[in-house]
Coordinates of all heavy atoms in Angstrom, one line a residue:
M174 N 8.4 5.6 -11.5 CA 8.1 6.2 -12.7 C 7.2 7.4 -12.3 O 6.1 7.3 -11.9 CB 7.3 5.2 -13.5 CG 6.7 5.9 -14.7 SD 5.6 4.8 -15.7 CE 6.0 3.1 -15.3
M175 N 7.8 8.6 -12.5 CA 7.1 9.9 -12.2 C 6.4 10.3 -13.3 O 6.8 10.4 -14.4 CB 8.1 10.9 -11.7 CG 7.4 12.2 -11.3 SD 6.7 12.1 -9.6 CE 8.1 12.9 -8.7
S176 N 5.0 10.6 -13.2 CA 4.3 11.2 -14.3 C 4.2 12.8 -14.2 O 4.7 13.4 -13.3 CB 2.8 10.7 -14.2 OG 2.2 11.3 -13.1
T177 N 3.7 13.4 -15.2 CA 3.7 14.8 -15.3 C 2.7 15.4 -14.2 O 2.9 16.6 -13.8 CB 3.3 15.3 -16.6 OG1 1.9 14.7 -17.0 CG2 4.2 14.9 -17.7
S178 N 1.8 14.6 -13.7 CA 0.9 15.1 -12.6 C 1.6 15.0 -11.3 O 0.9 15.4 -10.3 CB -0.3 14.3 -12.7 OG -0.1 13.0 -12.3
G179 N 2.8 14.5 -11.0 CA 3.4 14.5 -9.8 C 3.2 13.1 -9.1 O 3.9 12.9 -8.1
K180 N 2.4 12.2 -9.7 CA 2.2 10.9 -9.1 C 3.4 10.0 -9.4 O 4.0 10.1 -10.5 CB 0.9 10.2 -9.5 CG -0.4 10.9 -9.2 CD -1.6 10.1 -9.5 CE -1.6 9.5 -10.8 NZ -2.9 8.8 -11.1
E181 N 3.7 9.1 -8.4 CA 4.9 8.2 -8.6 C 4.4 6.8 -8.2 O 3.6 6.7 -7.2 CB 6.0 8.6 -7.9 CG 7.2 7.8 -8.1 CD 8.5 8.4 -7.5 OE1 8.6 9.6 -7.2 OE2 9.4 7.6 -7.3
L182 N 4.9 5.8 -8.9 CA 4.5 4.4 -8.6 C 5.5 3.9 -7.5 O 6.7 4.0 -7.6 CB 4.6 3.5 -9.8 CG 4.3 2.0 -9.6 CD1 2.8 1.9 -9.3 CD2 4.6 1.3 -10.9
F183 N 4.9 3.4 -6.4 CA 5.7 2.8 -5.3 C 5.2 1.4 -4.9 O 4.1 1.0 -5.3 CB 5.5 3.7 -4.0 CG 6.1 5.0 -4.1 CD1 5.4 6.1 -4.5 CD2 7.4 5.1 -3.6 CE1 6.1 7.4 -4.5 CE2 8.1 6.3 -3.6 CZ 7.4 7.5 -4.0
T184 N 6.1 0.7 -4.2 CA 5.6 -0.5 -3.5 C 5.6 -0.4 -2.1 O 6.5 0.3 -1.5 CB 6.7 -1.6 -3.8 OG1 6.8 -1.8 -5.2 CG2 6.3 -3.0 -3.2
V185 N 4.5 -0.8 -1.3 CA 4.4 -0.7 0.0 C 5.5 -1.6 0.6 O 5.5 -2.8 0.5 CB 3.0 -1.1 0.6 CG1 3.0 -1.1 2.1 CG2 1.9 -0.2 0.0
A186 N 6.5 -1.1 1.5 CA 7.5 -1.8 2.0 C 7.3 -2.2 3.4 O 7.8 -3.2 4.0 CB 8.8 -1.0 1.9
R187 N 6.6 -1.3 4.2 CA 6.3 -1.5 5.6 C 5.1 -0.7 6.0 O 4.8 0.4 5.5 CB 7.5 -1.0 6.4 CG 7.4 -1.4 8.0 CD 8.7 -1.1 8.6 NE 9.2 0.2 8.5 CZ 9.8 0.9 9.5 NH1 10.0 0.2 10.7 NH2 10.2 2.1 9.5
I188 N 4.4 -1.2 7.0 CA 3.2 -0.5 7.6 C 3.3 -0.4 9.0 O 3.7 -1.3 9.7 CB 1.9 -1.3 7.2 CG1 1.7 -1.5 5.7 CG2 0.7 -0.6 7.8 CD1 0.6 -2.5 5.3
F189 N 3.2 0.8 9.5 CA 3.2 1.1 11.0 C 2.2 2.1 11.4 O 2.3 3.2 11.0 CB 4.7 1.4 11.4 CG 5.4 2.5 10.6 CD1 5.5 3.8 11.0 CD2 5.9 2.2 9.3 CE1 6.0 4.8 10.2 CE2 6.5 3.2 8.6 CZ 6.6 4.5 9.0
G190 N 1.1 1.6 12.0 CA 0.1 2.5 12.4 C -0.6 3.0 11.2 O -1.0 2.4 10.3
A191 N -0.8 4.3 11.2 CA -1.5 5.0 10.1 C -0.4 5.4 9.0 O -0.8 6.0 8.1 CB -2.1 6.3 10.7
Y192 N 0.8 5.0 9.2 CA 1.8 5.4 8.2 C 2.3 4.3 7.4 O 2.3 3.0 7.9 CB 3.0 6.0 8.9 CG 2.7 7.3 9.6 CD1 2.4 7.4 10.9 CD2 2.6 8.5 8.8 CE1 2.1 8.6 11.5 CE2 2.3 9.7 9.4 CZ 2.0 9.8 10.7 OH 1.7 10.9 11.4
Y193 N 2.7 4.5 6.2 CA 3.2 3.5 5.2 C 4.6 4.0 4.8 O 4.8 5.1 4.4 CB 2.3 3.3 4.0 CG 0.9 2.9 4.5 CD1 0.0 3.7 4.9 CD2 0.5 1.5 4.2 CE1 -1.3 3.3 5.2 CE2 -0.8 1.1 4.5 CZ -1.7 2.0 5.1 OH -2.8 1.5 5.4
E194 N 5.5 2.9 4.8 CA 6.8 3.3 4.2 C 6.7 2.7 2.7 O 6.5 1.5 2.5 CB 7.9 2.5 4.9 CG 9.3 2.9 4.5 CD 10.4 2.3 5.4 OE1 10.7 3.0 6.3 OE2 10.9 1.2 5.0
L195 N 7.0 3.5 1.7 CA 6.9 3.2 0.3 C 8.3 3.2 -0.3 O 9.1 3.9 0.2 CB 6.0 4.2 -0.4 CG 4.6 4.5 0.1 CD1 3.9 5.5 -0.7 CD2 3.8 3.2 0.2
H196 N 8.5 2.4 -1.3 CA 9.7 2.3 -2.0 C 9.6 2.4 -3.4 O 8.7 1.8 -4.0 CB 10.5 1.0 -1.7 CG 11.8 0.9 -2.4 ND1 12.0 0.3 -3.5 CD2 13.0 1.5 -2.1 CE1 13.2 0.4 -3.9 NE2 13.8 1.1 -3.1
S197 N 10.5 3.2 -4.1 CA 10.6 3.1 -5.6 C 12.0 3.3 -5.9 O 12.8 3.8 -5.1 CB 9.8 4.3 -6.2 OG 10.5 5.5 -6.1
A198 N 12.4 2.8 -7.1 CA 13.8 2.9 -7.4 C 14.3 4.3 -7.7 O 15.4 4.7 -7.5 CB 14.1 2.1 -8.7
E199 N 13.3 5.1 -8.1 CA 13.6 6.5 -8.4 C 13.8 7.4 -7.1 O 14.7 8.2 -7.0 CB 12.4 7.1 -9.2 CG 12.6 8.5 -9.8 CD 11.5 8.9 -10.7 OE1 11.2 8.1 -11.6 OE2 11.0 9.9 -10.6
T200 N 12.9 7.2 -6.1 CA 12.9 8.1 -5.0 C 13.4 7.4 -3.7 O 13.6 8.1 -2.7 CB 11.4 8.5 -4.7 OG1 10.9 9.1 -5.9 CG2 11.3 9.6 -3.6
S201 N 13.6 6.1 -3.7 CA 14.1 5.3 -2.5 C 12.8 5.2 -1.6 O 11.8 4.9 -2.0 CB 15.3 6.0 -1.9 OG 15.8 5.1 -0.9
Y202 N 13.1 5.4 -0.3 CA 12.0 5.2 0.7 C 11.5 6.5 1.2 O 12.2 7.5 1.4 CB 12.6 4.5 1.9 CG 13.0 3.0 1.7 CD1 14.2 2.7 1.3 CD2 12.0 2.0 1.8 CE1 14.5 1.4 1.0 CE2 12.3 0.7 1.6 CZ 13.6 0.4 1.2 OH 13.9 -0.9 0.9
V203 N 10.1 6.5 1.3 CA 9.3 7.7 1.8 C 8.3 7.2 2.7 O 7.8 6.2 2.7 CB 8.7 8.6 0.6 CG1 9.8 9.0 -0.4 CG2 7.7 7.7 -0.2
R204 N 7.9 8.2 3.6 CA 6.8 7.9 4.5 C 5.5 8.5 3.9 O 5.5 9.6 3.3 CB 7.0 8.6 5.9 CG 5.9 8.2 6.9 CD 6.3 8.7 8.2 NE 6.0 10.2 8.3 CZ 6.0 10.9 9.4 NH1 6.3 10.3 10.5 NH2 5.8 12.2 9.4
A205 N 4.4 7.7 4.0 CA 3.1 8.2 3.3 C 2.0 7.9 4.3 O 2.0 7.1 5.1 CB 3.0 7.4 2.0
V206 N 0.9 8.6 4.0 CA -0.4 8.4 4.6 C -1.4 8.2 3.6 O -1.2 8.4 2.4 CB -0.9 9.5 5.5 CG1 0.1 9.8 6.7 CG2 -0.9 10.8 4.7
L207 N -2.6 7.6 4.0 CA -3.7 7.4 3.0 C -4.5 8.7 2.8 O -4.7 9.4 3.7 CB -4.7 6.3 3.5 CG -4.2 4.9 3.6 CD1 -5.3 4.1 4.2 CD2 -3.6 4.4 2.3
K208 N -4.8 8.9 1.5 CA -5.7 10.0 1.2 C -7.1 9.8 1.9 O -7.5 8.6 2.0 CB -5.9 10.1 -0.3 CG -6.7 11.3 -0.7 CD -6.7 11.3 -2.3 CE -7.3 12.6 -2.6 NZ -7.4 12.8 -4.1
G209 N -7.7 10.8 2.3 CA -9.0 10.7 3.1 C -9.9 9.8 2.5 O -10.5 9.0 3.2
K210 N -10.2 9.8 1.2 CA -11.3 9.0 0.7 C -10.8 7.5 0.7 O -11.7 6.6 0.8 CB -11.6 9.3 -0.8 CG -10.6 9.1 -1.9 CD -11.2 9.5 -3.2 CE -10.1 9.1 -4.3 NZ -10.6 9.4 -5.6
L211 N -9.5 7.2 0.7 CA -9.1 5.8 0.7 C -9.2 5.3 2.2 O -9.5 4.1 2.4 CB -7.6 5.7 0.3 CG -7.4 5.8 -1.2 CD1 -5.9 5.8 -1.4 CD2 -8.1 4.7 -2.0
R212 N -8.9 6.2 3.2 CA -9.1 5.8 4.5 C -10.6 5.5 4.9 O -10.8 4.6 5.7 CB -8.7 7.0 5.4 CG -7.5 6.7 6.3 CD -7.1 7.8 7.3 NE -7.9 9.0 7.2 CZ -7.5 10.2 6.8 NH1 -6.2 10.3 6.4 NH2 -8.2 11.2 6.8
L213 N -11.5 6.2 4.3 CA -12.9 6.1 4.7 C -13.6 5.0 3.7 O -14.7 4.6 4.1 CB -13.6 7.4 4.5 CG -13.1 8.5 5.4 CD1 -13.8 9.8 5.0 CD2 -13.3 8.2 6.8
K214 N -13.0 4.6 2.7 CA -13.6 3.6 1.8 C -13.8 2.3 2.5 O -12.9 1.7 3.2 CB -12.7 3.4 0.6 CG -13.2 2.7 -0.5 CD -12.2 2.6 -1.6 CE -12.9 2.5 -3.0 NZ -11.9 2.4 -4.1
Q215 N -15.0 1.8 2.4 CA -15.3 0.5 3.0 C -14.7 -0.6 2.2 O -14.7 -0.6 1.0 CB -16.8 0.3 3.1 CG -17.6 1.2 4.0 CD -17.1 1.0 5.5 OE1 -16.7 -0.1 5.9 NE2 -17.3 2.0 6.3
S216 N -14.1 -1.6 2.9 CA -13.4 -2.7 2.2 C -13.8 -4.0 3.0 O -13.9 -4.0 4.2 CB -12.0 -2.5 2.1 OG -11.3 -3.6 1.7
G217 N -13.9 -5.1 2.3 CA -14.0 -6.4 3.0 C -12.7 -6.9 3.5 O -12.8 -7.9 4.3
D218 N -11.6 -6.3 3.1 CA -10.4 -6.8 3.7 C -10.1 -6.3 5.1 O -10.6 -5.2 5.5 CB -9.2 -6.3 2.9 CG -9.2 -6.8 1.5 OD1 -9.7 -7.9 1.3 OD2 -8.7 -6.1 0.6
R219 N -9.5 -7.1 6.0 CA -9.1 -6.6 7.3 C -8.2 -5.5 7.3 O -8.3 -4.5 8.0 CB -8.6 -7.8 8.1 CG -8.2 -7.4 9.5 CD -7.6 -8.6 10.2 NE -8.7 -9.5 10.4 CZ -8.5 -10.7 11.1 NH1 -7.3 -11.0 11.5 NH2 -9.4 -11.5 11.2
H220 N -7.2 -5.6 6.3 CA -6.2 -4.5 6.1 C -6.2 -4.2 4.6 O -5.7 -5.1 3.9 CB -4.8 -4.9 6.6 CG -4.8 -5.3 8.0 ND1 -4.9 -4.3 9.1 CD2 -4.7 -6.4 8.6 CE1 -4.8 -5.0 10.2 NE2 -4.7 -6.2 10.0
P221 N -6.8 -3.1 4.2 CA -6.9 -2.9 2.7 C -5.6 -2.7 2.0 O -5.5 -3.0 0.9 CB -7.7 -1.6 2.7 CG -7.6 -0.9 3.9 CD -7.4 -2.1 4.9
F222 N -4.5 -2.4 2.7 CA -3.2 -2.3 2.1 C -2.2 -3.2 2.8 O -2.3 -3.3 4.1 CB -2.6 -0.8 2.2 CG -3.4 0.1 1.3 CD1 -4.5 0.6 1.7 CD2 -2.8 0.5 0.1 CE1 -5.2 1.5 0.9 CE2 -3.4 1.4 -0.7 CZ -4.6 1.9 -0.4
V223 N -1.4 -4.0 2.1 CA -0.4 -4.9 2.6 C 0.9 -4.7 2.0 O 1.0 -4.0 0.9 CB -0.9 -6.4 2.5 CG1 -2.2 -6.6 3.3 CG2 -1.0 -6.7 1.1
V224 N 2.0 -5.2 2.6 CA 3.3 -5.1 2.0 C 3.3 -5.8 0.7 O 2.7 -6.8 0.5 CB 4.3 -5.8 3.0 CG1 5.7 -5.9 2.2 CG2 4.5 -5.1 4.2
G225 N 3.9 -5.1 -0.3 CA 3.9 -5.6 -1.7 C 2.9 -4.9 -2.6 O 3.0 -5.1 -3.8
D226 N 1.8 -4.3 -2.1 CA 0.9 -3.6 -2.9 C 1.6 -2.5 -3.7 O 2.5 -1.8 -3.2 CB -0.2 -3.0 -2.0 CG -1.3 -3.9 -1.7 OD1 -1.5 -4.9 -2.5 OD2 -2.0 -3.7 -0.7
L227 N 1.2 -2.3 -4.9 CA 1.6 -1.2 -5.8 C 0.7 -0.1 -5.6 O -0.6 -0.3 -5.8 CB 1.8 -1.7 -7.2 CG 2.7 -2.9 -7.5 CD1 2.7 -3.3 -8.9 CD2 4.1 -2.5 -7.1
V228 N 1.2 1.1 -5.4 CA 0.4 2.3 -5.2 C 0.9 3.5 -5.9 O 2.1 3.6 -6.2 CB 0.3 2.6 -3.7 CG1 -0.4 1.5 -2.9 CG2 1.5 3.0 -3.1
Y229 N 0.0 4.4 -6.2 CA 0.4 5.7 -6.7 C 0.4 6.7 -5.5 O -0.6 6.7 -4.8 CB -0.5 6.2 -7.9 CG 0.0 5.6 -9.2 CD1 -0.9 4.7 -9.8 CD2 1.1 6.1 -9.8 CE1 -0.5 4.2 -11.0 CE2 1.4 5.5 -11.1 CZ 0.6 4.5 -11.6 OH 1.0 4.0 -12.9
A230 N 1.5 7.5 -5.4 CA 1.4 8.5 -4.3 C 2.0 9.8 -4.9 O 2.7 9.8 -5.9 CB 2.3 8.0 -3.2
E231 N 1.8 10.9 -4.2 CA 2.4 12.1 -4.5 C 2.8 12.9 -3.3 O 2.3 12.7 -2.2 CB 1.4 13.0 -5.4 CG 0.2 13.5 -4.6 CD -0.7 14.2 -5.5 OE1 -0.6 14.3 -6.7 OE2 -1.8 14.6 -4.9
P232 N 3.8 13.8 -3.3 CA 4.2 14.5 -2.3 C 3.2 15.6 -1.8 O 2.5 16.1 -2.6 CB 5.5 15.3 -2.8 CG 5.5 15.2 -4.2 CD 4.6 14.1 -4.7
S233 N 3.2 15.7 -0.5 CA 2.2 16.7 0.1 C 2.6 17.1 1.5 O 2.6 16.3 2.4 CB 0.8 16.0 0.1 OG -0.1 16.9 0.8
Q234 N 3.0 18.3 1.7 CA 3.4 18.9 3.0 C 4.3 18.0 3.8 O 4.2 17.7 4.9 CB 2.1 19.1 3.8 CG 1.1 20.0 3.1 CD -0.2 20.1 3.8 OE1 -0.4 19.5 4.8 NE2 -1.0 21.0 3.4
G235 N 5.4 17.7 3.1 CA 6.6 17.0 3.8 C 6.4 15.5 3.7 O 7.4 14.8 3.6
D236 N 5.2 14.9 3.8 CA 5.1 13.5 3.6 C 4.5 13.2 2.2 O 4.4 14.1 1.4 CB 3.9 13.0 4.6 CG 4.5 12.7 6.0 OD1 5.8 12.4 6.1 OD2 3.8 12.8 7.0
W237 N 4.3 12.0 1.9 CA 3.6 11.6 0.7 C 2.2 11.1 1.0 O 1.9 10.7 2.1 CB 4.4 10.5 0.0 CG 5.7 11.0 -0.6 CD1 6.8 11.5 0.0 CD2 6.0 11.0 -2.0 NE1 7.8 11.8 -0.8 CE2 7.3 11.6 -2.1 CE3 5.3 10.7 -3.1 CZ2 7.9 11.7 -3.3 CZ3 5.9 10.9 -4.4 CH2 7.3 11.4 -4.4
V238 N 1.3 11.1 0.0 CA -0.1 10.7 0.1 C -0.4 9.7 -0.9 O -0.1 9.8 -2.0 CB -1.1 11.9 0.0 CG1 -2.5 11.5 0.1 CG2 -0.8 13.0 1.0
I239 N -0.8 8.5 -0.4 CA -1.3 7.4 -1.3 C -2.6 7.8 -1.9 O -3.6 8.0 -1.2 CB -1.4 6.2 -0.5 CG1 0.0 5.7 0.1 CG2 -1.9 5.0 -1.4 CD1 0.0 4.5 1.0
L240 N -2.6 7.8 -3.2 CA -3.8 8.2 -4.0 C -4.6 7.0 -4.5 O -5.8 7.1 -4.5 CB -3.4 9.0 -5.2 CG -2.6 10.2 -4.9 CD1 -2.0 10.8 -6.2 CD2 -3.4 11.2 -4.2
E241 N -4.0 5.9 -4.9 CA -4.8 4.8 -5.3 C -3.9 3.5 -5.3 O -2.6 3.6 -5.2 CB -5.2 5.0 -6.8 CG -4.1 5.1 -7.8 CD -4.6 5.2 -9.2 OE1 -5.3 4.2 -9.8 OE2 -4.5 6.3 -9.8
K242 N -4.5 2.4 -5.2 CA -3.9 1.1 -5.2 C -4.2 0.4 -6.5 O -5.3 0.3 -7.0 CB -4.4 0.2 -4.0 CG -3.9 -1.2 -3.9 CD -4.4 -1.9 -2.7 CE -5.8 -2.4 -2.9 NZ -6.2 -3.3 -1.8
L243 N -3.1 -0.3 -7.0 CA -3.3 -1.0 -8.3 C -3.8 -2.4 -8.0 O -3.6 -2.9 -6.8 CB -2.0 -1.1 -9.1 CG -1.5 0.3 -9.4 CD1 -0.2 0.1 -10.2 CD2 -2.5 1.1 -10.3
E244 N -4.3 -3.1 -8.9 CA -4.8 -4.5 -8.7 C -3.6 -5.4 -8.4 O -2.6 -5.3 -9.0 CB -5.5 -4.9 -10.0 CG -6.2 -6.3 -9.8 CD -7.0 -6.7 -11.0 OE1 -7.4 -5.8 -11.8 OE2 -7.3 -7.9 -11.2
R245 N -3.9 -6.3 -7.5 CA -2.9 -7.3 -7.1 C -2.7 -8.3 -8.1 O -3.6 -8.9 -8.6 CB -3.1 -7.9 -5.7 CG -3.2 -6.9 -4.7 CD -3.7 -7.6 -3.3 NE -3.6 -6.5 -2.3 CZ -4.4 -6.6 -1.2 NH1 -5.3 -7.6 -1.0 NH2 -4.3 -5.7 -0.3
K246 N -1.4 -8.7 -8.5 CA -1.1 -9.8 -9.4 C -1.4 -11.2 -8.6 O -1.8 -12.1 -9.2 CB 0.3 -9.8 -9.9 CG 0.6 -8.7 -10.8 CD 2.0 -8.7 -11.4 CE 3.0 -8.4 -10.3 NZ 4.4 -8.4 -10.7
N247 N -1.0 -11.2 -7.4 CA -1.2 -12.4 -6.6 C -1.1 -12.0 -5.1 O -0.7 -10.8 -4.8 CB -0.2 -13.5 -6.9 CG 1.3 -13.0 -6.8 OD1 1.7 -12.4 -5.8 ND2 2.1 -13.2 -7.9
Y248 N -1.4 -12.9 -4.2 CA -1.3 -12.6 -2.7 C -1.2 -13.8 -1.9 O -1.6 -14.9 -2.4 CB -2.4 -11.7 -2.3 CG -3.8 -12.2 -2.7 CD1 -4.5 -13.0 -1.8 CD2 -4.4 -11.8 -3.9 CE1 -5.8 -13.5 -2.1 CE2 -5.6 -12.3 -4.2 CZ -6.3 -13.1 -3.4 OH -7.6 -13.5 -3.7
L249 N -0.7 -13.7 -0.8 CA -0.6 -14.8 0.2 C -1.6 -14.5 1.4 O -1.6 -13.4 1.9 CB 0.8 -14.9 0.7 CG 1.2 -16.0 1.7 CD1 1.0 -17.4 1.1 CD2 2.6 -15.8 2.2
T250 N -2.4 -15.6 1.7 CA -3.5 -15.3 2.8 C -3.2 -16.3 3.9 O -2.5 -17.3 3.7 CB -4.9 -15.5 2.3 OG1 -5.0 -16.8 1.8 CG2 -5.2 -14.5 1.2
R251 N -3.8 -16.1 5.0 CA -3.8 -17.1 6.1 C -5.2 -17.0 6.7 O -5.9 -16.0 6.7 CB -2.8 -16.9 7.1 CG -3.0 -15.7 8.1 CD -2.0 -15.7 9.2 NE -2.4 -14.8 10.2 CZ -3.0 -15.2 11.4 NH1 -3.1 -16.5 11.7 NH2 -3.3 -14.3 12.3
K252 N -5.6 -18.1 7.3 CA -7.0 -18.2 8.0 C -6.7 -17.8 9.5 O -5.7 -18.1 10.1 CB -7.5 -19.6 7.9 CG -8.1 -19.9 6.5 CD -9.2 -20.8 6.7 CE -9.8 -21.1 5.4 NZ -10.9 -20.3 4.9
S253 N -7.6 -17.1 10.0 CA -7.6 -16.7 11.4 C -8.3 -17.8 12.3 O -8.9 -18.7 11.7 CB -8.3 -15.4 11.7 OG -9.6 -15.5 11.6
D254 N -8.2 -17.6 13.6 CA -8.9 -18.6 14.5 C -10.4 -18.5 14.3 O -11.0 -19.5 14.7 CB -8.5 -18.2 15.9 CG -7.0 -18.4 16.3 OD1 -6.4 -19.3 15.5 OD2 -6.5 -17.9 17.2
F255 N -10.9 -17.4 13.8 CA -12.3 -17.2 13.6 C -12.8 -17.8 12.3 O -14.0 -17.7 12.0 CB -12.7 -15.8 13.8 CG -12.3 -15.2 15.1 CD1 -11.2 -14.3 15.2 CD2 -12.9 -15.6 16.3 CE1 -10.8 -13.8 16.3 CE2 -12.4 -15.1 17.5 CZ -11.4 -14.2 17.5
G256 N -12.0 -18.4 11.4 CA -12.3 -18.9 10.1 C -12.3 -18.0 9.0 O -12.4 -18.4 7.9
D257 N -12.1 -16.7 9.3 CA -12.0 -15.8 8.1 C -10.5 -15.7 7.7 O -9.6 -16.2 8.4 CB -12.5 -14.3 8.5 CG -11.7 -13.7 9.6 OD1 -11.1 -14.4 10.3 OD2 -11.7 -12.5 9.7
S258 N -10.2 -15.2 6.5 CA -8.8 -15.2 6.0 C -8.5 -13.7 5.8 O -9.4 -12.9 5.5 CB -8.7 -16.0 4.8 OG -9.5 -15.6 3.7
H259 N -7.2 -13.4 5.8 CA -6.8 -12.0 5.5 C -5.5 -12.1 4.7 O -4.7 -13.1 4.8 CB -6.7 -11.1 6.7 CG -5.7 -11.5 7.6 ND1 -6.0 -12.4 8.7 CD2 -4.5 -11.1 7.9 CE1 -4.9 -12.5 9.4 NE2 -4.0 -11.7 9.0
V260 N -5.2 -11.2 3.9 CA -4.1 -11.1 3.0 C -2.9 -10.6 3.9 O -2.9 -9.7 4.6 CB -4.3 -10.1 1.9 CG1 -3.1 -10.0 1.0 CG2 -5.6 -10.5 1.1
L261 N -1.7 -11.4 3.7 CA -0.5 -11.1 4.4 C 0.4 -10.2 3.6 O 1.0 -9.3 4.2 CB 0.2 -12.4 4.8 CG -0.5 -13.3 5.8 CD1 0.3 -14.6 5.9 CD2 -0.7 -12.6 7.1
C262 N 0.5 -10.5 2.4 CA 1.4 -9.7 1.4 C 0.9 -9.9 0.0 O 0.1 -10.9 -0.3 CB 2.9 -10.1 1.6 SG 3.2 -11.9 1.3
A263 N 1.4 -9.1 -0.9 CA 0.9 -9.1 -2.3 C 2.0 -9.0 -3.3 O 3.1 -8.5 -3.0 CB -0.1 -8.0 -2.5
N264 N 1.7 -9.4 -4.5 CA 2.6 -9.2 -5.7 C 4.0 -9.9 -5.5 O 5.0 -9.3 -5.6 CB 2.9 -7.8 -6.1 CG 1.5 -7.1 -6.3 OD1 0.7 -7.6 -7.1 ND2 1.2 -6.0 -5.8
L265 N 3.9 -11.2 -5.0 CA 5.1 -12.0 -4.7 C 5.7 -12.5 -5.9 O 5.1 -12.9 -6.9 CB 4.7 -13.2 -3.8 CG 4.0 -12.8 -2.5 CD1 3.4 -14.1 -1.9 CD2 5.0 -12.2 -1.5
D266 N 7.1 -12.6 -6.0 CA 7.8 -13.2 -7.1 C 8.3 -14.5 -6.7 O 8.4 -15.3 -7.6 CB 9.0 -12.2 -7.4 CG 8.7 -10.9 -8.0 OD1 7.6 -10.8 -8.7 OD2 9.5 -9.9 -7.8
L267 N 8.5 -14.8 -5.4 CA 9.1 -16.0 -5.0 C 8.6 -16.3 -3.5 O 8.6 -15.4 -2.7 CB 10.7 -15.9 -5.0 CG 11.5 -17.1 -4.6 CD1 11.3 -18.3 -5.6 CD2 12.9 -16.8 -4.5
V268 N 8.3 -17.6 -3.3 CA 7.8 -17.9 -1.9 C 8.7 -19.0 -1.4 O 9.1 -19.9 -2.1 CB 6.4 -18.5 -1.9 CG1 6.0 -18.9 -0.5 CG2 5.4 -17.5 -2.4

Protein backbone atom coordinates (compact mmCIF):
# COMPACT_ATOMS: atom_id res chain seq x y z
CA MET A 1 0.00 0.00 0.00
CA MET A 2 1.73 3.16 -1.25
CA SER A 3 0.80 6.42 0.42
CA THR A 4 1.05 9.89 -1.06
CA SER A 5 4.23 10.53 0.93
CA GLY A 6 6.06 7.72 -0.91
CA LYS A 7 6.05 5.32 2.05
CA GLU A 8 5.05 1.74 1.39
CA LEU A 9 4.17 -1.11 3.76
CA PHE A 10 6.50 -4.13 3.54
CA THR A 11 7.20 -7.38 5.37
CA VAL A 12 10.81 -8.20 6.30
CA ALA A 13 11.56 -11.34 4.25
CA ARG A 14 15.29 -11.82 4.89
CA ILE A 15 18.09 -10.16 6.85
CA PHE A 16 21.71 -10.24 5.70
CA GLY A 17 24.23 -8.06 7.50
CA ALA A 18 23.16 -4.42 7.41
CA TYR A 19 20.67 -5.09 4.59
CA TYR A 20 17.07 -6.22 4.70
CA GLU A 21 15.10 -7.86 1.92
CA LEU A 22 11.55 -6.53 2.05
CA HIS A 23 8.46 -7.82 0.27
CA SER A 24 5.13 -6.26 -0.69
CA ALA A 25 2.50 -7.47 -3.12
CA GLU A 26 2.71 -4.13 -4.92
CA THR A 27 6.51 -3.82 -5.38
CA SER A 28 7.69 -7.44 -4.93
CA TYR A 29 11.17 -7.70 -3.35
CA VAL A 30 13.48 -4.77 -2.62
CA ARG A 31 16.74 -4.28 -0.72
CA ALA A 32 16.64 -1.83 2.18
CA VAL A 33 18.76 -0.36 4.97
CA LEU A 34 17.73 1.16 8.29
CA LYS A 35 17.28 4.89 8.57
CA GLY A 36 20.04 6.41 10.74
CA LYS A 37 17.86 7.08 13.77
CA LEU A 38 16.54 3.49 13.74
CA ARG A 39 20.09 2.13 13.58
CA LEU A 40 21.16 4.21 16.56
CA LYS A 41 18.02 3.67 18.64
CA GLN A 42 18.71 1.67 21.80
CA SER A 43 16.62 -1.46 22.10
CA GLY A 44 16.41 -4.28 24.59
CA ASP A 45 16.13 -6.74 21.71
CA ARG A 46 19.21 -8.55 20.47
CA HIS A 47 17.99 -7.96 16.92
CA PRO A 48 15.44 -5.14 16.73
CA PHE A 49 14.10 -6.30 13.33
CA VAL A 50 13.25 -9.93 12.51
CA VAL A 51 11.68 -11.79 9.59
CA GLY A 52 7.96 -11.10 9.54
CA ASP A 53 8.13 -7.57 10.97
CA LEU A 54 5.90 -5.07 9.19
CA VAL A 55 7.75 -1.89 8.27
CA TYR A 56 7.27 1.29 6.31
CA ALA A 57 9.99 2.09 3.78
CA GLU A 58 10.59 4.56 0.97
CA PRO A 59 12.92 4.60 -2.04
CA SER A 60 16.21 6.47 -1.61
CA GLN A 61 19.18 6.56 -4.01
CA GLY A 62 18.66 3.13 -5.58
CA ASP A 63 17.90 1.24 -2.37
CA TRP A 64 15.00 1.58 0.03
CA VAL A 65 15.19 2.98 3.56
CA ILE A 66 13.19 1.52 6.46
CA LEU A 67 11.49 4.40 8.27
CA GLU A 68 9.52 2.68 11.03
CA LYS A 69 8.48 -0.70 12.41
CA LEU A 70 4.86 -1.45 13.26
CA GLU A 71 3.86 -3.22 16.46
CA ARG A 72 4.11 -7.02 16.32
CA LYS A 73 0.87 -9.04 16.50
CA ASN A 74 2.78 -12.04 17.83
CA TYR A 75 6.29 -13.50 17.81
CA LEU A 76 8.28 -16.67 18.38
CA THR A 77 11.20 -16.59 20.85
CA ARG A 78 13.90 -18.96 22.05
CA LYS A 79 16.12 -18.95 25.10
CA SER A 80 19.87 -18.75 24.63
CA ASP A 81 22.52 -20.64 26.59
CA PHE A 82 22.91 -17.55 28.76
CA GLY A 83 19.26 -17.56 29.88
CA ASP A 84 18.11 -14.55 27.88
CA SER A 85 15.59 -14.90 25.09
CA HIS A 86 15.40 -13.32 21.69
CA VAL A 87 12.77 -13.05 18.98
CA LEU A 88 13.21 -15.38 15.99
CA CYS A 89 10.31 -14.19 13.81
CA ALA A 90 7.16 -12.10 14.05
CA ASN A 91 3.55 -11.83 12.86
CA LEU A 92 3.10 -15.57 12.32
CA ASP A 93 -0.08 -16.98 10.82
CA LEU A 94 0.75 -20.67 11.30
CA VAL A 95 3.35 -22.63 13.29
